[in-house]
Amino acid sequence: MTKKLTIALLSGGVSSEREVSLNSGRQVYEALDKDKYNVLRYDPQSDLPRLIAEAPGIDAALIILHGAYGEDGTVQGLLDLLGIPYQGSGVLGSAVAMNKLAAKRLYQQAGLPIPDFIIARRGSRHAHEDAVQRLGMPLVVKPVVGGSSVGVTIVRSPQELDCALETAYVHDPCALIETCIQGTEITGGVIGNDDLEALPIIEIIPDSSHPFFTYEAKYKAGATQEICPARIDAELTAKAQRLAMEAHRALFCRGYSRTDMMLRGRDIFILETNTIPGMTATSLLPQAAQKAGMDFGRLLDRLIALSLEGRSVPG
């Protein structure tokens, strides 16, 4: 009989997305096959000393953390030092995907389509005037570091820009001001290390009370309609899947990722790539995996297997 693997399940943490992480962690724990895995749970907010002490007995980790100190390469670096393999991207991929400016520059270098943008920094007024002149209206303002649409605002008049920037600066002293692509939001999941599999594309439709896919629209039951597969033709589907895989490679991702995109006519623009997508059974990437014939438990099995694949060298 195959030996049970000891899995460290990390959830919680200290970011603004702590509650989302705890909820994901609970559902992942329930879905893991206890005949295959001995699951040890850790909350990095309080349990890092215990994780370090117990590391020699751990076969692999599932990092179900979102935001700073979880999705940004910090926990990944600690696990590398401890010699514990983990699902998903290493330090480099995690860090650049979490930093929207670094990600955009890598997308640009790879020739991938993104919305026009400029950078704004706390204390500087130059970006305000430049944004309106160069990008027009409407605009999207977001903190450079962060996830789950925290601190993001759609700006529809120049008078709203100051307030939007102050909202973003609560989370990061550097903000992105982007052209707002008005169209249909879609997202594409990718699974694999060297050989990538693109999952079915999902169409995202927040209800009329939400101006875009906000934090509340993401996590409030019934606030968003998610259609999988997306109601787009085969050519656009293939294009979106190709862009999701190219974004995964451009950011040095590993294991899995989910890339959010905007569809305007026949054009697709990449918004950002998530290296630890939401991991409840009804989250977007698990939904797409389900449509591809992989239920939540099997998806977790696949991610654990990928974490153990070629992990002799940290990264």
Side-chain angles (χ1 to χ4, degrees):
M1 187 173 178
T2 305
K3 170 184 171 288
K4 288 172 79 169
L5 293 175
T6 296
I7 301 297
L9 173 57
L10 280 64
S11 66
V14 298
S15 81
S16 59
E17 299 170 75
R18 172 177 171 81
E19 291 305 317
V20 176
S21 171
L22 287 170
N23 183 39
S24 293
R26 284 189 290 268
Q27 295 200 37
V28 167
Y29 179 81
E30 293 299 323
L32 285 166
D33 186 342
K34 305 310 186 293
D35 291 330
K36 295 178 181 177
Y37 309 114
N38 174 35
V39 185
L40 306 176
R41 301 190 67 178
Y42 302 90
D43 183 344
Q45 186 181 72
S46 55
D47 297 335
L48 289 182
R50 181 166 64 89
L51 172 65
I52 292 167
E54 296 173 354
I58 295 172
D59 294 302
L62 282 172
I63 307 171
I64 310 299
L65 298 165
H66 304 299
Y69 308 110
E71 199 171 356
D72 59 0
T74 51
V75 166
Q76 289 78 2
L78 173 62
L79 294 174
D80 284 343
L81 286 170
L82 296 174
I84 300 174
Y86 48 88
Q87 103 289 2
S89 299
V91 173
L92 176 60
S94 300
V96 297
M98 192 66 184
N99 185 296
K100 295 180 180 67
L101 176 56
K104 282 183 177 294
R105 287 175 173 164
L106 288 171
Y107 293 149
Q108 286 178 314
Q109 189 173 26
L112 300 178
I114 61 173
D116 290 338
F117 70 96
I118 65 171
I119 304 302
R121 291 178 173 82
R122 183 185 285 139
S124 171
R125 290 288 309 172
H126 176 68
H128 299 53
E129 301 164 5
D130 201 25
V132 175
Q133 291 176 1
R134 283 183 48 195
L135 305 178
M137 288 286 161
L139 299 167
V140 180
V141 177
K142 59 184 72 172
V144 164
V145 175
S148 288
S149 299
V150 174
V152 177
T153 307
I154 292 185
V155 173
R156 302 192 183 279
S157 72
Q159 293 74 29
E160 298 172 3
L161 188 53
D162 280 347
C163 183
L165 284 167
E166 288 307 315
T167 299
Y169 292 149
V170 170
H171 305 280
D172 194 284
C174 188
L176 282 175
I177 306 174
E178 294 179 345
T179 297
C180 180
I181 304 298
Q182 300 183 79
T184 302
E185 184 163 0
I186 57 176
T187 192
V190 172
I191 296 179
N193 289 330
D194 297 324
D195 298 320
L196 301 183
E197 173 188 353
L199 296 176
I201 299 297
I202 298 179
E203 181 179 349
I204 299 166
I205 309 172
D207 70 28
S208 58
S209 65
H210 298 93
F212 63 100
F213 200 31
T214 63
Y215 183 94
E216 183 179 1
K218 283 177 165 72
Y219 300 117
K220 180 181 176 182
T224 298
Q225 185 181 7
E226 296 157 355
I227 301 172
C228 185
R231 298 169 298 179
I232 56 178
D233 62 39
E235 181 182 355
L236 275 178
T237 295
K239 182 178 180 180
Q241 290 176 318
R242 174 180 58 79
L243 288 172
M245 289 190 288
E246 290 182 3
H248 181 99
R249 292 190 178 100
L251 301 190
F252 306 96
C253 294
R254 179 183 173 85
Y256 68 146
S257 70
R258 199 197 77 230
T259 293
D260 299 332
M261 297 167 272
M262 289 298 297
L263 173 64
R264 185 178 67 191
R266 305 294 295 178
D267 295 323
I268 300 175
F269 299 85
I270 292 175
L271 300 180
E272 62 183 77
T273 298
N274 304 273
T275 55
I276 304 182
M279 287 300 287
T280 69
T282 57
S283 295
L284 293 167
L285 187 134
Q287 278 190 57
Q290 177 79 45
K291 187 63 68 172
M294 194 184 317
D295 67 24
F296 196 33
R298 285 184 57 211
L299 172 62
L300 295 171
D301 290 343
R302 177 84 183 276
L303 294 178
I304 291 169
L306 287 168
S307 76
L308 297 169
E309 181 184 283
R311 274 290 193 183
S312 59
V313 178

